[in-house]
Amino acid sequence: MNAAGVDNEGYTLEHGSDQSFRPVFPGADHPRDAPVGELTPVTECDSEALSTLHSDGNVMIAALFTLFNDYCMKIYDFRCEDKKTIEFKLRSYQSSLAFIFAIEEINRNTHILPNTSLGFELYNVKSNQLDILQETFHCLTGMGINIPNYTCRRENKAAALLTGTAWETSARVGRLLNLYNYPQLTFGRFDTVLSDRGQFSSLYQTAPRDTFLSHGIVILMVHFSWTWVGLVLIDDHNGAEILSDLRGEMDRNRVCVAFVEMIPDNWINSGYKSRTSHRQILKSSANVIFIYDVTISLYGIILYISIHSITWKVWIIKSQWDVSTDVPFFIFDPFHGSLIFAQHHAEISDFRKFIQSYKPSTYPEDHILALLWKRYFNCSFSGPDCKSLVNCLPNASLEMLPGNALEMDMTEESYNVYNSVYAVAHSLHEMTLKHVEIHPHGNEEVNTYHWELHPYLKTIHYKNGAGKIMVLDSQRKLDAEYDILNLWNFPDGLRQKIKVGTFSPNAPQGQELFLSDHMIQWAIGFTELPRSVCSESCVPGFRKSPQEGKAACCYDCIHCPDNEISNETDMDHCVRCPESHYANTEQNHCLQKAVTFLSYEDTLGKALTYLALGFSALTAVVLGVFVKHHHTPIVKANNQALTYILLITLIFCFLCPLLFIGHPNTVTCVLQQSTFAVLFTVALSTVLAKTIIVVLAFKITFPGRLIRWIMISRATNFIIPVCTLIQLVLCGIWLSTSPPFIDSDAYTEHGYIIIICNKGSTIAFHSVLAYLCSMALGSYTMAYLSRNLPDTFNEAKFITFSMLVFFSVWVTFLPVYHSTKGQHMVAMEVFSILASSVGLLGCIFSPKCYIILFRPHRNVLYHVRNKVPSRGKVGLTA
């Protein structure tokens, strides 16, 4: 294209206000749409050369192809006022060569139609309904004559008619041929509408069914993790059918549709839609776009894509579109790296040789071939008959056309044309054999009528030239397999389609798709495997959270909750770890929890153990001091027996926490609470007995008979066994109904399973604590009443304070205990046991030890008599 915007083919690209381009023919007053392709001015010889290609034979086969289109440069009053231009359809031309090749191959084959030669009539049809029907009438009535219901043919009538790739063409022709019961074979892709025998009873489709095409395309998307894909389809029944199939497959495989552009099946109405669709493609975040069933209606959007060089998109294309020739070439090929689904077919080895040898010198009747030679190899017509070519490039062949304009191997349409010819030939062969069976001695020439061919076409089961079994019956057709091709554009602009994989729907599940990923060249805008997603993948440790009002592929990534993991990409839900495991920091793996308990090796366990042993040793020392000074007044005044019982009990109270430390077992779990309850009951009952004795000794001025009997008979000594017995009954009920047992706590401490002793009945546990607190409260009350007695050797104040400490410890213990978990609960109970025991030891015995050890002059009977009134002597000597 030059600076003025005029390209080398003789038409301009008009730049409009909508920032888009459209073709404009030179000399036209107004821009008009024109298809993309090679445009060549038509000379007088060219016009004469553009005629129907014909070859004589005993039996004729006709075919309709869109080999070229001619366009008028200026039109006034429906008349062409200026020269015409030609647009060659090289892909269709290759199909016509396959048609000729098949007929020649059959004529050489002595096993098919011996003694019968096949001829052909090859018609060019343009992309309009009038021209299609006109050429069909030419076939029915006779070449050059267009009279309905009349034929000038006397012999060599066409046994069948082959129609092209567009379903509309086959449908229009089919409705006409149905009137005459005329066999029609279509070599386009299989169409469900055309398989309706009610409408098209004379029509047969050669192509295999595309039943699993949608499945193959979606499997390809899943293979590359493309979950955000745009769709561009023709707005007709084929587009609706493929859209329905694609949506179903995409939903099943969790692939989302980014947008759907339905282009009207009308060249005039599709222009504006192509521009709006082009904008949709540009603004969409989808990097992968599927284009299906490309017809002339989609050429507008293809032109927009080419002009704007959208090189950052990956196109998935159905091979019905000739991307190598129908798209103009620009500096950056927007379709480089495209993936093409082509129906797999057998290779016809001799076809390449046929094309290489197909030249004007060997096929002078092919006028299209002469025009191609003139266009590409600088030839010119000479002579008045416009048949001779001069000044041609030496050794020129179709293989030398620039940019691989003509494929040397059969395309899927060419292969279908080839099979269609073979289907007619084999049907004719079967019909001839049947006629010979009926008339074994008949020497008359067999007169073939086209309607007689239908029974054989319906049941035909034949091998083509490649040895492949073929059928025409739509009910017996096999599903197509596909070759996946990658469009390469080399630096010199040479487009090639390279096979990079296959899709076989009949293969075992999971093995349908085979791809050589390393062979794929992606679009220019990508340096690595393209990504096409609405949202980036959620890495392990996160889960997907759908975005409201958007497709399922659009989501946010949310961190997994505590102790839940996601160990794969894009998980919808996090998975909770089992109780024996915990989530790691990244929350993508469950780790085995370590078993733990309040052990002697832990710092806390060691500290509590040392405290328990230390205080028990200290209590033993205090006991030793009292035993050594048992003859002193202060020891005698505090009731030696109760003092010894209390100190011995406190020694065991300090050792009791050792049952709480270490690996729990059934024995220790049972002994922990019962031992603690009984020991503290003995200790508190001893304190209560001492308190009652002090009160009786100092508060009763004139003791009655009962009080005197209590003092003389020492009935206070029964306080300890009675109180202990009550506690034993409570513990017995506890152990018999719901005893403590070994339990595990897997939730309190992250990464650990804590082995603890479950107390069983919480009611029994709190009842035991309530009983101890009631005894402490009773001792506190009795001691409080005697708080104003003489100070010397008086325990009332010390007992009052010790019970206050004891009561405070265990009242504080309850809320703190229930607010802690795991081994800290155990440590809290141990600490409370030690604190309350220290309170008893310190408050009651530390003042006495201080006098015994450091103030011995106060520990004499004279000092006591001077300080204690006579009414207290009974208590002091008790």
Side-chain angles (χ1 to χ4, degrees), residues 637-638 643 690 694 783 793-800 844 848:
N638 287 279
T643 299
K690 290 170 68 67
V694 171
F793 308 132
N794 183 14
E795 290 186 297
K797 291 183 179 180
F798 303 142
I799 293 175
T800 302
I844 295 177
K848 298 178 177 58

Side-chain angles (χ1 to χ4, degrees), residues 456-476:
Y456 304 97
L457 288 172
K458 291 177 181 178
T459 60
I460 193 66
H461 184 88
Y462 66 96
K463 286 186 178 180
N464 63 10
K468 297 296 183 180
I469 301 296
M470 304 297 296
V471 295
L472 295 183
D473 183 15
S474 60
Q475 301 299 323
R476 294 187 296 156

Side-chain angles (χ1 to χ4, degrees), residues 486-504:
N486 186 215
L487 184 63
W488 288 8
N489 180 36
F490 293 99
D492 58 359
L494 183 63
R495 286 171 173 164
Q496 293 190 25
K497 288 186 280 190
I498 307 300
K499 182 178 177 180
V500 295
T502 58
F503 173 73
S504 302

Side-chain angles (χ1 to χ4, degrees), residues 221-232:
M221 297 174 184
V222 173
H223 176 78
F224 291 117
S225 300
W226 295 333
T227 58
W228 192 237
V229 181
L231 305 178
V232 180

